Amino acid sequence: MLKPLGDRVLVEIIEEGEQKTAGGLFVPDTAKEKSQRGKVIAVGSGKTLDNGTKVAVEVSEGDTVYFAKYGGTEVTLDGKNYSLLSERDILAIVD
């Protein structure tokens, strides 16, 4: 498994189910947009400020989050899709 560094977060991308148009046509996987929702798998130690103070990451392992559409780096491990994001690319935590 990957261990993120600094303020980085490893998120397992939650794939959306089958999508259907209003006319009843199924949208193929190749035409779907990348999901922007995922589950936090691992969290880095936090960002280090210029004065040496460490600021903890606001998300925790197990949180479901929404992240920026084009943020992060996509990684595939053991057949699962992950995104390695900077904390600033995470937009919200789902309650």
Side-chain angles (χ1 to χ4, degrees), residues 6-84:
D7 69 336
R8 303 281 194 280
V9 178
L10 182 66
V11 175
E12 182 179 353
I13 298 171
I14 297 173
E15 301 295 338
E16 304 299 329
E18 288 186 341
Q19 293 181 347
K20 207 166 40 166
T21 65
L25 299 174
F26 286 97
V27 179
D29 289 338
T30 55
K32 292 180 187 176
E33 287 191 24
K34 176 180 108 172
S35 175
Q36 293 175 257
R37 191 166 55 105
K39 180 179 178 184
V40 176
I41 301 300
V43 177
S45 60
K47 183 176 183 176
T48 304
L49 301 177
D50 291 337
N51 66 4
T53 305
K54 196 78 125 167
V55 178
V57 179
E58 290 186 55
V59 296
S60 303
E61 292 180 13
D63 286 347
T64 300
V65 296
Y66 278 95
F67 51 89
K69 189 172 198 170
Y70 298 107
T73 301
E74 290 187 29
V75 179
T76 302
L77 293 171
D78 300 326
K80 291 185 179 181
N81 294 324
Y82 298 93
S83 189
L84 190 56

